[in-house]
Amino acid sequence: MPRTAAPPALVSLLTRVADSDRRRTSASVILRSVLEHGPVARSTIARLTGLSPASVTDHCARLARVGLLREADAPRRSNGVGRPHVPVDLDDSRFVVGGVHVAASCTTVSLLDLRGRVVARRRSGHRGLEPSKVLARAADGLAALLDETPGRRPLALGVAAGGWVDRDSGTVVEHPLLGWRDVPVREAMSARTGLAVHVDGHARALVNAERLFGRARGSRSVLHLFVGNLVDAAFATHDEVHHGPRSQSGSIAHLPLPGGTRPCDCGRIGCLQAELGERTLGRRARDAGVTDGVDPMDVVAAADAGNPVAARLLRERARMVGRAAGLLLDVLNPERVVVTEVGVLFREDCLAALRDEVGAQRAAAVSPSSFPDAVAAVAGGAVALDVLYRDPLTLSADAAPLPT
Ligand SMILES: [Zn+2]
C-alpha cells in the first residue's frame, strides 16, 4: 500500500502538540529534580535527567522567569538565571498553593509552599452545615490566610475529601458520613476564589504528598492506607496515581477484614470501615471507660498518660490495620506502604504491632505518614502541588503576573 503523506496543516499541528508535550515534560522533570536535589548545578540536572545541557539551561530560564526557580546564592526575587555554574534552587518565597480538606466533622484550610510545607492553616467545625455553606466558609478562611501572609501569591487551590471524589469532574460524588452527593466542588470553589481549582480523594492526595515531599520519594510503587472516620486507600506506580474510571479506585471501606465481627451499615459483617473507623474506636473507648469516645486523639493522650486499656485498644486497632495492609500488600506488592492512622502515627508500640501483623519480611516497607501533625493541612494543597509539578509552566503562567 502506498504511503499517503499527511496534510501539511496536520503535520504542523502534530509537531506543535509534540513540542508542547516535550516542553511540559522537560519542565516537570527539571522542577522535580530541583525539588529533590536543590540547590543543584544545571550540569548535575542534565546528568540526573538525561536532558541536554542546553535544554536544561533553557528550561531553567523559563522556570526562573515565572518565579519558580532562582539561582541559589542570588538575592531573593531576582528573576535572572544566567551564570551556568551557579546552582539553582526552588524559589519558595513567592508562591503558595491553597488547600482545603473536608473531613467528616471539620474543614481544614491551609497554604503550602512549593516544598509542601505548611505556611498557614486553620480548622473549623462544620457539623450540620449544607455543602455550599461549608465551601463558602472554606473560601473565606483561605482569603483570611492569604491576608495574613502578605507577599505570597496563590498559584492554585487543591481540595481533598474522603469518600468517592471524581477528579475529572471536580465533584464529591458521594461522602457517606457528610451525606454529600454530587457536590460540584471545583465549580463552587473556582467561583468563590477565582483560582484554578483541583479536586481529588484524600488518600490519593496524600500518596502524592508522600511521593513528592515524603518518605515515598524515589519509590517505584507506593500504597497509602488511610484509616480515619473513613477507610480508603490509594496506589501509585512510577509517579502515576491510579484513579480508574470516574476515580473510583481505592474504595476499600467494605472489603471484609479477616476475623471481623462488627455489623456494617451496608448490612454485612466485618467490613474494614466497621472494624477500623474512628467511630468504632470511639465506641470501644467509651465502653471501656477510657474517654467520651468523641476524639481519637483523646485515646492517644490517655495511652500516653499511662492508661493501659487505652494503649491496648490502640494496639488492637493497629493490628487490624496491619491485617488490612497485609491483604493489600498481597494484591498490589508495593515497594512502600504508608499508613495514616492515629495510633501508628504517634505511638511506637502501635507501629510495632502493625509491622508485626504485616510480617517480618515486609515490615520494613511499612511506615507511618510523613506528615503526622499536618495530614489534613497537607492533603488539600498536595492536590494542587501534584498538578504544578506535572505542568509547572502552564499553572504558573495562568497565575497573576509577577510583581516587579
Ligand atoms: Zn460494609
Side-chain angles (χ1 to χ4, degrees):
M1 214 170 109
R3 269 186 59 196
T4 315
L10 183 58
V11 171
S12 142
L13 174 68
L14 287 173
T15 314
R16 282 207 304 277
V17 169
D19 278 353
S20 76
D21 272 358
R22 199 163 33 238
R23 256 203 308 281
R24 185 161 53 228
T25 308
S26 302
S28 166
V29 165
I30 289 169
L31 196 65
R32 282 287 298 281
S33 182
V34 176
L35 168 68
E36 286 176 27
H37 304 283
V40 59
R42 271 151 286 186
S43 54
T44 311
I45 298 174
R47 185 168 49 75
L48 289 166
T49 60
L51 293 165
S52 73
S55 169
V56 170
T57 299
D58 178 40
H59 280 99
C60 283
R62 286 170 197 266
L63 290 164
R65 273 201 298 278
V66 295
L68 297 173
L69 281 193
R70 62 185 172 87
E71 289 192 335
D73 66 349
R76 293 192 161 204
R77 302 196 174 279
S78 149
N79 276 340
V81 171
R83 293 161 295 167
H85 304 297
V86 178
V88 291
D89 203 356
L90 289 184
D91 186 346
D92 52 20
S93 66
R94 298 171 190 265
F95 293 120
V96 286
V97 295
V100 174
H101 178 262
V102 185
S105 61
C106 65
T107 303
T108 303
V109 296
S110 60
L111 303 178
L112 305 189
D113 71 10
L114 297 184
R115 298 181 197 278
R117 296 177 301 203
V118 179
V119 174
R121 65 174 127 180
R122 63 170 60 176
R123 191 168 84 144
S124 60
H126 61 218
R127 217 175 267 285
L129 285 184
E130 298 274 301
S132 61
K133 290 245 168 55
V134 173
L135 298 175
R137 270 201 197 177
D140 292 346
L142 273 172
L145 288 186
L146 285 165
D147 279 348
E148 292 161 15
T149 322
R152 300 290 199 112
R153 288 188 312 114
L155 274 176
L157 170 63
V159 183
W164 176 7
V165 181
D166 182 12
R167 176 182 62 165
D168 292 339
S169 64
T171 304
V172 172
V173 181
E174 188 172 27
H175 190 305
L177 297 181
L178 282 171
W180 287 19
R181 259 184 171 283
D182 296 319
V183 177
V185 172
R186 183 169 63 209
E187 201 180 289
M189 291 307 283
S190 301
R192 288 189 179 278
T193 64
L195 293 169
V197 179
H198 306 276
V199 183
D200 209 344
H202 65 187
R204 286 190 293 264
L206 288 164
V207 96
N208 279 325
E210 294 288 345
R211 205 170 57 67
L212 289 166
F213 315 111
R215 293 196 180 92
R217 195 184 264 185
S219 295
R220 277 162 297 183
S221 52
V222 53
L223 165 73
H224 177 231
L225 178 57
F226 183 96
V227 181
N229 267 309
L230 295 172
V231 177
D232 39 35
F235 184 56
T237 50
H238 295 104
D239 269 352
E240 288 297 330
V241 178
H242 183 65
H243 280 76
R246 296 200 69 203
S247 299
Q248 283 197 78
S249 78
S251 39
I252 56 166
H254 301 285
L255 282 184
L257 183 74
T261 55
R262 292 201 65 84
C264 180
D265 295 342
C266 75
R268 283 170 292 186
I269 300 286
C271 296
L272 288 186
Q273 194 151 293
E275 299 289 340
L276 300 177
E278 276 169 5
R279 282 191 300 180
T280 302
L281 175 66
R283 197 174 300 125
R284 286 182 174 135
R286 197 169 52 239
D287 291 351
V290 172
T291 69
D292 64 1
V294 176
D295 187 344
M297 282 308 292
D298 292 346
V299 186
V300 176
D304 287 349
N307 183 323
V309 182
R312 181 175 52 76
L313 285 175
L314 290 170
R315 278 196 305 276
E316 283 172 2
R317 187 178 192 227
R319 282 201 169 278
M320 290 192 283
V321 174
R323 239 181 288 160
L327 277 178
L328 298 168
L329 274 157
D330 287 344
V331 178
L332 299 166
N333 191 29
E335 208 171 87
R336 179 142 296 281
V337 181
V338 179
V339 176
T340 301
E341 187 271 341
V342 285
V344 173
L345 284 184
F346 296 110
R347 289 183 58 87
E348 283 297 325
D349 60 338
C350 291
L351 180 58
L354 165 76
R355 286 184 164 150
D356 186 52
E357 194 68 30
V358 167
Q361 270 192 330
R362 303 190 293 191
V366 182
S367 46
S369 165
S370 307
F371 317 100
D373 299 312
V375 170
V378 166
V383 178
L385 286 170
D386 171 54
V387 176
L388 173 73
Y389 278 95
R390 285 182 194 284
D391 192 1
L393 293 172
T394 302
L395 192 58
S396 48
D398 288 347
L402 283 173
T404 47

